[in-house]
Amino acid sequence: MAGTELAIAITGAGGAGVISVGELLLQAWAKEGGRGLLRKAFGPQIRGGESAALLKLTETERYTAASQYDVLLAFDWNNFTRFGDEIRIARNTPADCS
Protein backbone atom coordinates (compact mmCIF):
# COMPACT_ATOMS: atom_id res chain seq x y z
CA MET A 1 0.00 0.00 0.00
CA ALA A 2 2.88 2.38 -0.59
CA GLY A 3 1.77 5.88 -1.47
CA THR A 4 -1.83 5.49 -0.33
CA GLU A 5 -3.58 8.83 0.06
CA LEU A 6 -7.30 9.54 0.33
CA ALA A 7 -9.01 12.89 0.79
CA ILE A 8 -12.56 12.88 2.18
CA ALA A 9 -14.95 15.82 2.63
CA ILE A 10 -18.01 15.39 4.85
CA THR A 11 -20.60 18.18 5.06
CA GLY A 12 -23.94 18.71 6.76
CA ALA A 13 -25.85 20.65 9.38
CA GLY A 14 -24.28 21.30 12.75
CA GLY A 15 -25.28 18.56 15.17
CA ALA A 16 -25.78 15.98 12.40
CA GLY A 17 -22.58 14.15 13.27
CA VAL A 18 -20.31 15.49 10.53
CA ILE A 19 -17.39 16.23 12.86
CA SER A 20 -17.92 13.00 14.83
CA VAL A 21 -17.77 10.93 11.62
CA GLY A 22 -14.57 12.74 10.59
CA GLU A 23 -12.96 12.08 13.97
CA LEU A 24 -14.00 8.41 13.92
CA LEU A 25 -12.53 7.90 10.44
CA LEU A 26 -9.28 9.55 11.50
CA GLN A 27 -9.06 7.39 14.65
CA ALA A 28 -9.80 4.20 12.70
CA TRP A 29 -7.10 5.05 10.15
CA ALA A 30 -4.62 5.76 12.95
CA LYS A 31 -5.37 2.38 14.56
CA GLU A 32 -4.36 0.78 11.26
CA GLY A 33 -1.04 2.64 11.37
CA GLY A 34 -1.94 5.47 9.02
CA ARG A 35 -1.38 9.19 9.38
CA GLY A 36 -3.95 11.87 8.82
CA LEU A 37 -5.07 15.43 9.07
CA LEU A 38 -8.57 16.62 9.99
CA ARG A 39 -9.64 20.18 9.33
CA LYS A 40 -12.96 21.27 10.83
CA ALA A 41 -15.01 24.10 9.33
CA PHE A 42 -18.13 25.72 10.75
CA GLY A 43 -20.60 28.32 9.55
CA PRO A 44 -21.21 31.56 11.44
CA GLN A 45 -24.43 30.38 13.11
CA ILE A 46 -24.30 29.49 16.79
CA ARG A 47 -26.49 26.38 16.47
CA GLY A 48 -27.63 24.35 13.50
CA GLY A 49 -25.36 25.98 10.94
CA GLU A 50 -23.35 24.11 8.35
CA SER A 51 -20.21 22.17 9.22
CA ALA A 52 -17.54 20.22 7.35
CA ALA A 53 -14.92 17.64 8.27
CA LEU A 54 -12.09 17.68 5.72
CA LEU A 55 -9.78 14.67 5.99
CA LYS A 56 -6.53 13.72 4.35
CA LEU A 57 -5.49 10.14 5.12
CA THR A 58 -1.99 8.98 4.18
CA GLU A 59 0.51 6.28 5.05
CA THR A 60 3.30 8.77 5.69
CA GLU A 61 3.50 12.10 7.46
CA ARG A 62 2.13 14.99 5.42
CA TYR A 63 1.19 18.23 7.07
CA THR A 64 -0.76 19.90 4.27
CA ALA A 65 -4.51 19.84 3.73
CA ALA A 66 -5.94 18.31 0.58
CA SER A 67 -6.39 20.58 -2.42
CA GLN A 68 -9.10 18.32 -3.88
CA TYR A 69 -11.22 15.50 -2.50
CA ASP A 70 -11.65 11.92 -3.68
CA VAL A 71 -14.83 11.29 -1.67
CA LEU A 72 -17.66 13.67 -0.79
CA LEU A 73 -20.24 12.66 1.78
CA ALA A 74 -22.95 15.33 1.95
CA PHE A 75 -25.52 14.71 4.68
CA ASP A 76 -27.67 17.28 2.88
CA TRP A 77 -27.01 19.39 -0.23
CA ASN A 78 -28.29 22.65 1.30
CA ASN A 79 -25.36 22.75 3.71
CA PHE A 80 -22.85 21.61 1.09
CA THR A 81 -23.39 24.79 -0.94
CA ARG A 82 -21.77 26.86 1.84
CA PHE A 83 -18.51 24.99 1.22
CA GLY A 84 -18.85 24.69 -2.55
CA ASP A 85 -15.95 27.09 -3.18
CA GLU A 86 -13.65 25.37 -0.66
CA ILE A 87 -14.27 21.74 -1.59
CA ARG A 88 -12.97 20.79 -5.03
CA ILE A 89 -13.80 17.27 -6.13
CA ALA A 90 -11.08 15.29 -7.92
CA ARG A 91 -11.78 14.77 -11.63
CA ASN A 92 -11.67 10.98 -11.41
CA THR A 93 -14.27 10.82 -8.60
CA PRO A 94 -17.42 9.02 -9.75
CA ALA A 95 -20.69 10.82 -8.98
CA ASP A 96 -23.52 8.96 -7.29
CA CYS A 97 -26.38 10.98 -5.87
CA SER A 98 -28.52 8.05 -4.75
Side-chain angles (χ1 to χ4, degrees):
M1 283 181 37
T4 298
E5 184 173 305
L6 181 64
I8 304 170
I10 308 165
T11 64
V18 169
I19 302 303
S20 295
V21 169
E23 290 174 344
L24 286 170
L25 286 172
L26 185 61
Q27 289 172 11
W29 183 247
K31 284 184 180 181
E32 292 299 315
R35 306 289 180 117
L37 176 70
L38 171 61
R39 187 168 59 103
K40 302 172 187 178
F42 304 95
Q45 298 88 346
I46 294 172
R47 293 180 187 258
E50 61 279 342
S51 59
L54 307 170
L55 291 123
K56 183 176 181 181
L57 307 176
T58 66
E59 288 186 329
T60 60
E61 291 184 46
R62 299 226 172 103
Y63 297 108
T64 59
S67 60
Q68 59 184 6
Y69 293 86
D70 304 303
V71 176
L72 168 64
L73 174 59
F75 287 5
D76 62 70
W77 287 111
N78 292 334
N79 286 298
F80 170 74
T81 58
R82 155 66 173 85
F83 300 103
D85 292 339
E86 291 179 59
I87 299 173
R88 289 190 301 267
I89 306 303
R91 289 181 185 248
N92 60 347
T93 300
D96 184 359
C97 297
S98 54

